[in-house]
Amino acid sequence: MFCLLRLSIASGPAQSRPAATWLAHKRPTRSLQELVDEAARTTLEKFADKKLEPKQISITLIDLRDPQHPGKASFRGNERIYPASVVKLFYLVAAHRWLEDKKIGDTPELRRALKDMIVDSSNEATQYIVDVLTHTTGGFELPPAEMDEWQYKRNAVNRYFASLGYTNINVNQKTFCEDAYGREHVSRGPNGENRTN
């Protein structure tokens, strides 16, 4: 189970107080860490009958009310956990960065795939987005030297998030309804050590 929480407070014309005063007024009396700890405790209690254990959850809370100084708290936040479709958010962010940097073209097909990846959680659309971002494609197994070059390209999204300070994540695999074959399967490593997490 993976949970990513984001707190953001919209500002708009209806806001009459200065932003700093308004934000200070809205800050919780409890710390972010206390909120996360309570959420973890409550979740574990609520699903105790299902035998949910602490090692099965991870929570990260990022407070964006002050975008220049975001607050952060977590419960097992550095643990590697299979993110399922949450990984699609990372591909969405990377795609927008690539578009801003003119690394990829803004095409109707790209827009369709981005929409389907997020709105419908389409694995096929996600596969296309990963290909576009990394300039790689699936297919038959490659000789070792070619596979190394392919894997380097496939790690483009990992390198981007590493440049932002992300650690202990792996976002270089496509999502599938069933299983991966060929170079996609080889890329995961013999024991699945390179799976998305």
Side-chain angles (χ1 to χ4, degrees):
M1 184 183 297
F2 180 91
C3 181
L4 174 67
L5 301 175
R6 189 185 105 170
L7 281 182
S8 62
I9 298 188
S11 60
Q15 183 178 320
S16 57
R17 286 180 278 185
T21 304
W22 187 80
L23 286 173
H25 175 71
K26 291 294 182 183
R27 290 202 188 280
T29 55
R30 293 179 293 167
S31 72
L32 292 178
Q33 191 60 55
E34 289 171 326
L35 291 171
V36 167
D37 291 343
E38 181 181 336
R41 186 172 47 256
T42 302
T43 301
L44 289 166
E45 288 170 3
K46 182 170 182 169
F47 295 99
D49 62 326
K50 306 246 189 261
K51 302 198 181 345
L52 181 67
E53 298 178 32
K55 68 180 182 181
Q56 295 174 295
I57 64 173
S58 178
I59 302 170
T60 297
L61 175 64
I62 302 172
D63 182 348
L64 297 176
R65 289 177 290 182
D66 180 356
Q68 300 304 316
H69 305 94
K72 180 179 173 187
S74 67
F75 175 82
R76 299 183 71 247
N78 284 327
E79 294 297 321
R80 289 183 143 196
I81 295 178
Y82 178 65
S85 288
V86 172
V87 73
K88 295 169 183 175
L89 296 173
F90 287 83
Y91 297 143
L92 177 67
V93 169
H96 281 279
R97 176 81 268 167
W98 268 234
L99 284 165
E100 289 175 16
D101 293 345
K102 308 286 189 225
K103 289 182 178 179
I104 58 175
D106 186 0
T107 66
E109 191 65 1
L110 178 69
R111 285 181 178 264
R112 182 174 79 95
L114 287 170
K115 175 187 171 289
D116 291 350
M117 177 177 72
I118 299 303
V119 174
D120 300 326
S121 195
S122 166
N123 289 329
E124 289 76 12
T126 305
Q127 293 167 17
Y128 172 75
I129 296 298
V130 171
D131 286 347
V132 170
L133 292 171
T134 64
H135 301 287
T136 61
T137 59
F140 56 84
E141 300 93 326
L142 296 170
E146 290 179 45
M147 189 65 198
D148 288 346
E149 182 181 342
W150 182 93
Q151 191 63 62
Y152 178 81
K153 289 180 182 179
R154 181 54 74 83
N155 282 322
V157 179
N158 276 337
R159 287 191 297 276
Y160 168 64
F161 281 102
S163 76
L164 299 177
Y166 284 75
T167 59
N168 208 25
I169 66 168
N170 189 39
V171 288
N172 67 1
Q173 300 291 325
K174 294 179 177 179
T175 55
F176 292 92
C177 292
E178 295 178 358
D179 199 3
Y181 293 89
R183 66 191 76 160
E184 298 290 351
H185 187 263
V186 171
S187 172
R188 291 179 180 172
N191 300 308
E193 60 271 15
N194 194 36
R195 287 189 74 109
T196 300
N197 56 51

Short mmCIF file of all heavy atoms in Angstrom, two decimals, residues 5 63 74-75 80 96 105 149 193:
data_model
loop_
_atom_site.label_atom_id
_atom_site.label_comp_id
_atom_site.label_asym_id
_atom_site.label_seq_id
_atom_site.Cartn_x
_atom_site.Cartn_y
_atom_site.Cartn_z
N LEU A 5 0.53 12.00 0.15
CA LEU A 5 -0.41 13.05 0.50
C LEU A 5 0.21 14.39 0.17
O LEU A 5 1.39 14.60 0.36
CB LEU A 5 -0.74 13.00 1.99
CG LEU A 5 -1.34 11.71 2.50
CD1 LEU A 5 -1.48 11.77 4.01
CD2 LEU A 5 -2.68 11.46 1.87
N ASP A 63 3.91 19.65 2.68
CA ASP A 63 3.10 20.86 2.89
C ASP A 63 3.62 21.94 1.94
O ASP A 63 4.72 22.44 2.10
CB ASP A 63 3.24 21.31 4.35
CG ASP A 63 2.39 22.52 4.68
OD1 ASP A 63 1.88 23.17 3.75
OD2 ASP A 63 2.25 22.81 5.88
N SER A 74 7.19 12.04 7.22
CA SER A 74 6.92 10.73 6.64
C SER A 74 6.86 9.64 7.71
O SER A 74 7.35 9.81 8.82
CB SER A 74 7.99 10.37 5.61
OG SER A 74 9.24 10.19 6.23
N PHE A 75 6.24 8.55 7.31
CA PHE A 75 6.23 7.31 8.08
C PHE A 75 6.79 6.26 7.14
O PHE A 75 6.19 5.96 6.12
CB PHE A 75 4.79 6.96 8.50
CG PHE A 75 4.67 5.64 9.20
CD1 PHE A 75 4.95 5.52 10.54
CD2 PHE A 75 4.28 4.50 8.49
CE1 PHE A 75 4.84 4.30 11.19
CE2 PHE A 75 4.16 3.28 9.12
CZ PHE A 75 4.45 3.18 10.48
N ARG A 80 11.44 1.31 0.17
CA ARG A 80 11.06 1.01 -1.21
C ARG A 80 9.83 0.11 -1.21
O ARG A 80 9.84 -0.97 -0.64
CB ARG A 80 12.20 0.32 -1.94
CG ARG A 80 13.35 1.25 -2.22
CD ARG A 80 14.42 0.56 -3.00
NE ARG A 80 14.97 1.52 -3.93
CZ ARG A 80 15.72 1.19 -4.96
NH1 ARG A 80 16.01 -0.05 -5.21
NH2 ARG A 80 16.18 2.13 -5.77
N HIS A 96 6.07 16.78 -18.47
CA HIS A 96 5.91 18.24 -18.49
C HIS A 96 7.27 18.95 -18.46
O HIS A 96 7.45 19.98 -19.12
CB HIS A 96 5.00 18.69 -17.35
CG HIS A 96 3.55 18.46 -17.66
ND1 HIS A 96 2.82 19.33 -18.44
CD2 HIS A 96 2.72 17.45 -17.35
CE1 HIS A 96 1.59 18.87 -18.58
NE2 HIS A 96 1.50 17.72 -17.93
N GLY A 105 8.30 16.77 -28.32
CA GLY A 105 7.32 17.63 -28.97
C GLY A 105 5.94 17.49 -28.38
O GLY A 105 5.54 16.41 -27.94
N GLU A 149 23.36 0.15 -23.16
CA GLU A 149 23.02 1.46 -23.75
C GLU A 149 21.52 1.74 -23.62
O GLU A 149 21.10 2.84 -23.27
CB GLU A 149 23.43 1.48 -25.23
CG GLU A 149 23.17 2.80 -25.92
CD GLU A 149 23.57 2.78 -27.38
OE1 GLU A 149 24.34 1.90 -27.80
OE2 GLU A 149 23.08 3.67 -28.11
N GLU A 193 15.41 -7.02 -9.17
CA GLU A 193 16.01 -5.94 -8.38
C GLU A 193 15.85 -4.56 -9.00
O GLU A 193 16.02 -3.56 -8.33
CB GLU A 193 17.50 -6.24 -8.11
CG GLU A 193 18.36 -6.38 -9.36
CD GLU A 193 18.44 -7.80 -9.93
OE1 GLU A 193 17.61 -8.66 -9.55
OE2 GLU A 193 19.30 -8.02 -10.78
#
